[in-house]
Amino acid sequence: MQYSTHLLRHLRFTIGQNIHRRRAEQKMPLKKLSRLSGVSELLLDHYELGKNEISLDELLKIAWALNVDASTLFGNLL
């Protein structure tokens, strides 16, 4: 199955917004999320802005660091 570029861009943006929202709710600086997840601050920033696609491995690391289920980061897309 092939997905449209628009759909993938929307998915990337939604996941990024949800990472940012969860981090803000916990008052967690980007630096701390980076340390806990093992994902660089620059890459986290790009994920939050929807600039980069996120791998499943890194999504799971970020979810673990935020203490949320990975599906939470997909929001209402699932």
Side-chain angles (χ1 to χ4, degrees), residues 10-27:
H10 180 67
L11 176 64
R12 197 169 57 222
F13 181 74
T14 300
I15 290 171
Q17 281 186 319
N18 288 328
I19 291 170
H20 179 76
R21 184 178 306 115
R22 293 296 176 156
R23 186 172 66 78
E25 287 171 358
Q26 297 179 32
K27 296 179 175 53

Side-chain angles (χ1 to χ4, degrees), residues 27-63:
K27 296 179 175 53
M28 182 184 295
L30 201 57
K31 188 172 197 162
K32 182 174 181 181
L33 180 56
S34 175
R35 186 173 40 82
L36 291 173
S37 67
V39 178
S40 77
E41 286 183 62
L42 180 62
L43 203 47
L44 286 169
D45 185 54
H46 284 198
Y47 291 153
E48 287 188 359
L49 295 172
K51 291 183 177 181
N52 287 57
E53 290 182 19
I54 187 168
S55 70
L56 179 58
D57 182 52
E58 292 195 336
L59 181 76
L60 292 172
K61 288 177 184 178
I62 293 166

